[in-house]
Structure formats: structure tokens, C-alpha cells
Amino acid sequence: MKDEVSRAAVPLDRDVFMRTLLRELSGTLQDVVGLEEASGYISVVGAAIGEQLDAQYRKALSVDRLTREQVAQVLVDLKARIEGDFYVVEEREDRIVLGNRACPFGEKVRDRPALCMMTSNVFGHIAAENLGYARVSIEEAIARGDPGCRVVVYLVPDDNPDPDAREYFRQADV
């Protein structure tokens, strides 16, 4: 009987379980407190993860601060390591534009736009800590039903920013 159960065709492993857990947690938050509040809670987690990843990349690259080019490369690399498919669309003095063909949360991200706050906060934290300022706008998102994602990381403050964009500042400057 035990062998029969262990051979059962159940599509479950740690990755699927963890992505399902995050999907259900974010969905419950969205349902109970609303999308804006759920996004806020997930933002706190994203900021902590962004801080950890920023420190790990700077240590691995033996630098005190990443350059704009390195920030762009790090954003793409960290997503690739967790099975995202981000790529640089455009890189200029005032912005880094990224596209994405595959979400690290896979199909579990559908209808869970609060999970996009992980990307916003991780990207925003890394960019701001290294370059002084970031404003992240998620213009398209797989979570909202778009075929891919388009994320713009603005590196210069704007007097009239997109109200849906989130601003990030270097912690030492706050």
C-alpha cells in the first residue's frame, strides 16, 4: 500500500507546494484586506528579500555599490536564478526597462497581482541602494493577464510620477 501511494501520479514537489502556498496566502490577503493592503504586506517581505539579495550580489562582486549596468544585470540574473525570464529592453541614464516572458511563480501568479510587489520591492531596493533612487512601474504583468511583464525602473525623480509606481530611496538617505 505504501509503495502504491508513493508512486501515485500526484504533481507535488517542494517547488509546486511553495508556489501554491504563496498563491493561496496572497489570494487570502487580497480577499480579506483588499489588493492595496495585500500589496503592502507583500512589499514588506519584498523589501527584506531585496536587502538580502543586494548584499549578496555586492559581496559576490566585491563592490560597495553596483553601477547602473551592474544593477540591470543583477535584476535579470536574480530572476533567471528563480526561473523567471527577464531581459533588458532598454537601459538609459534615467531608466532601466525590463521585459519578462516567464514569472518565477509560474501559473500560480494568475489573478494574484499583489505578488508583483515582490518584483517591485526587490528591484526598487537594489536600484535605490546602489544608485540613490528608484521608482518602479509595472506596466504589464502576467499576474494581470498580460502575455508578459514590462517593468520600468526609473532612476531619476519626477514631479508627476505615475500614481501606481512605487518610489524607493537609499536607506542612508532616508
Side-chain angles (χ1 to χ4, degrees), residues 13 73 108 112 145 165:
D13 61 22
Q73 292 169 6
K108 304 294 186 187
R112 298 298 189 265

Side-chain angles (χ1 to χ4, degrees), residues 94-112:
D94 67 333
R95 75 185 70 166
I96 301 167
V97 181
L98 299 126
N100 177 39
R101 294 174 284 252
C103 182
F105 295 112
E107 74 287 347
K108 304 294 186 187
V109 79
R110 296 276 181 204
D111 301 319
R112 298 298 189 265

